[in-house]
Every structure is written in structure tokens, then in C-alpha cells.
Amino acid sequence: MKKKIALIFGVTGQDGYYLTKLLLKKNYIVHGVKRRSSSVPTKRIDIFLNQRNFKLHYGDITDFSSIQSLIKKVKPKEIYNLAAQSHVGVSFYTPLYTANVNAIGVLAILEAIKNSNNKIKFYQAGTSEMFGKVREKKQNEKTNFNPQSPYGAAKVFAHQITKNYRDAYNMFASNGILFNHESPIRGENFVTKKIISSLTKIKYGMQKNLVLGNLYAKRDWGHAKDYVEAIYKIVQKKKADDYVISTGRDYTIKEFVNKTAKILKMKLKWKGKGLHETAVDENNKIIISIDKKYFRPLEVDYLRGNSYKAKKELGWKTNLSIDDIIKEMVDFELRIINKL
Ligand code: NAP
Ligand code: G4F
């Protein structure tokens, strides 16, 4: 049987790694797109570089010509767009750039598909950040969007334009609305990775302290490995549609810190309030403090998803709990510093 061909924008990122692994296991030929960078950006996917069914190309979703020629050359059956400036906090410092990549870049891919072969199946990496400031206890596909950042606003455009191309040009163009998902290869400046990597080093005297921002935002955290399974299932459907992917459970950043400390067998005591809140270790030494530079001009206080539709229509469910995720991430850090 002829192998299916997939093209992944954003292949060098966290989800790019897990999706590539999944598609190669399913016998796909996977073409990934990397950007030119002054240092090697392929750290996460080096493991695939010598595999016959994996090929890497230069490209950028803000460069229409590169998207067009890649589609012509690779002739994919499925295109997964995972590419984005994916940091919400950073999007306040680079709003135009973020909009150009996260919104216009998506439109560029859709245009290139429409102009070359509108039978290609397209997946757009949407986010719970599109919900932003919410009233509902749990957010689902019917919840209104109310983004609170340039990142979230640009993703709303991407979501909407993906739907518009689906309806206007009869294209298979689906949106995932994924809640936060983590893994050992999560980017260093997302809060989960930052907490786990710092506390592990603090425990072994390799770092003095950890400085955080808002401890009281709540997030619904899943594992990237489970979430790329959902992405794959979304694209295998006969009809394009939009799906919320989440665990349905939420925790504060502070609860995440406490869970990590427990797994590391560290004793933490919280003191003070607001910007003066700290956590001390058993010797009364401050190891966690707060700095307002990590607060955002606007915050998304609460996210918790309802994935009933994905469960019913895709047969998808989350397998790994928050404790499984933290344990795996802690063990990964311990191996790096030779303590496991
Ligand atoms: P990530 O680790 O930051 O990966 C982002 C990827 O996009 C990287 O490969 C990056 O390349 C690439 N990229 C950035 N700008 C690009 C451009 N102009 N052209 C081509 N590629 C570009 O993010 P992730 O966590 O894997 O997330 C994947 C996608 O899901 C993103 O769109 C993100 O917004 C969305 N999402 C993520 C989560 C989550 O919790 N992880 C939740 C909801 C939605 P470099 O390696 O060169 O930087
Ligand atoms: O880990 P975060 O940066 O993730 P955030 O903003 O929720 O965005 C992630 O999930 C989205 C899905 O909902 C994705 F679309 C997006 O691409 C990304 O993957 O921050 C989580 C929370 C925020 O409330 C933030 O204010 O943690 C709070 N926080 C507190 N201290 C911090 C820090 N965030 C970061 N990055 N660094 C801190 O020191």
C-alpha cells in the first residue's frame, strides 16, 4: 500500500516531536519544516534525522513562496500546522510579529492549499488561550472566545479563517482547541518546565532559587503524547470539524509547585502575600520568590476544558495524569544532572 505523506510546520517544537514519532510509527512519510537559525534548532528531532521516512526542509510560514514550493515538491495528503510564536507572555513584547506568524501565517498555508490542491487535509493548532477570560466552569466548542493577549487574538483569527476556508472552498480544514500540554521536552520558559527544572537543580545545590509570577492562575494540564493522538484522530475524520482537547481538571501554579516539591521530597513552607509571597526550605532559606516582571499585562485566570465531543466522536481520552506528567518531567531532569 502507498504510504501516506504528511507535511508538518513546527516540526522542531514539542508537539512536532511527538506528532512525528506517532506518524512514523503509523508508517507515514513525514516531511518537516525547519526555520533557518543561527544555532541548530533540531535538538528535539535529531533522533529522526537518519530515518528513511523522515525528511527536513527549510521554510517559514511567513514566507508564502516557501509554503507553495514545499506543497508542490512534497505533495502531502495531510498538513499539520503546529508552527507559532507560542509564548503568551512574549506575545505582549512582539505583538506584530506574533500576529504575522500565528494569524497571517495560517492564512498563507490555507491559500497555498486552496491554490494547489484543495483535497489536502489541514490541521490548525488552536488553543484554550482563545477562550481567555471565561465565565463558564468548563469550556467547550460552544464557549465564546475572549482572548487576553496578542497570542490569543491571533489564534482566534487563525481559528476563524480555518473555518471560513472549510465552508467557502469545501476544504478539509480542522481546528484543535488544545489546553496546556507538557512533557520533558517542553520549552524552557513555560511555567511547568521552569518549575521542575529549577526545583530539581535547587534540591542538588546547583541553583539558588526560583522566581515566578502569578501563582494563582489555574490551568488544565495534559501530556503532549496524549494530545498528538487527538490531533491525528481529528485529521482522520471524514468531515472536518473543531474539537476541544483537555483533561477536565485544573490546578493553580502553586499547586503545581507543591506537587513537584512532593515528588522531589522537598519540604516547602509558604509565607507572605502578593509580591512578598515566598517559599522557604527546611533551613528557612528562601527558595521561591515572586517578581512582577513575570506578570502579564492581562492574565487568563482560569482554564478548564470539556472534551465530551472528542471523547464521543474521536474516541479520544487522556491517559496520563498531572502526577504522571510531573514524575516523568522530574525524572528527565534528574537524568540530565546524573542523579537518576
Ligand atoms: P513550540 O514547542 O514552541 O513549537 C513551535 C514550533 O513552531 C517550533 O518548531 C518553531 O520553530 C515553529 N515556528 C515558529 N515560528 C515559525 C515560523 N514563522 N515558520 C515556521 N515555523 C515556525 O510549541 P508547541 O508547544 O509544540 O505547540 C505547538 C502548537 O500548538 C503551537 O502552534 C502552539 O501555539 C499550539 N498550542 C500549544 C499548546 C501547549 O500547551 N503546548 C496548547 C495549545 C496550542 P523553532 O524551533 O525554530 O522555534
Ligand atoms: O506556562 P505558561 O507560559 O503557559 P500559558 O500562558 O498557559 O500558555 C501555554 O498554554 C496555551 C494553552 O492554554 C498555549 F496556547 C500556549 O502556546 C502555551 O503553550 O503560563 C501558565 C501560567 C500563566 O498564568 C502565567 O502567568 O503560569 C503563570 N506563570 C507564573 N509564573 C508563569 C510564570 N508563566 C511563565 N511562563 N513563567 C513564569 O515564571
Side-chain angles (χ1 to χ4, degrees), residues 222-261:
H223 196 299
K225 186 168 179 273
D226 283 346
Y227 284 36
V228 300
E229 293 270 358
I231 293 176
Y232 175 73
K233 283 173 182 274
I234 290 172
V235 175
Q236 303 319 304
K237 288 290 286 184
K238 275 225 165 74
K239 210 165 155 275
D241 206 343
D242 307 326
Y243 293 93
V244 161
I245 303 299
S246 63
T247 72
R249 294 193 183 84
D250 66 282
Y251 300 91
T252 62
I253 313 303
K254 191 169 171 178
E255 283 168 326
F256 194 95
V257 170
N258 289 335
K259 279 179 173 293
T260 305

Side-chain angles (χ1 to χ4, degrees), residues 306-320:
N306 173 350
S307 285
Y308 177 74
K309 182 178 171 185
K311 278 180 196 133
K312 199 167 151 239
E313 294 185 15
L314 304 174
W316 176 84
K317 65 173 175 39
T318 183
N319 293 312
L320 294 156

Side-chain angles (χ1 to χ4, degrees), residues 86 127-128 151 180 186 189 191 194 213-214 217 219 296 299:
S86 68
T127 162
S128 47
Y151 170 84
N180 299 50
R186 181 61 146 149
N189 59 358
V191 80
K194 182 174 163 182
N214 181 8
R219 290 291 181 275
R296 295 164 184 179
E299 177 62 283

Side-chain angles (χ1 to χ4, degrees), residues 114-137:
K114 185 190 94 192
N115 295 341
S116 58
N117 170 10
N118 79 347
K119 295 281 167 273
I120 296 172
K121 286 181 154 184
F122 175 69
Y123 171 83
Q124 164 55 19
T127 162
S128 47
E129 276 292 308
M130 298 188 296
F131 296 127
K133 212 167 197 60
V134 292
R135 288 219 183 102
E136 294 82 349
K137 213 168 164 217

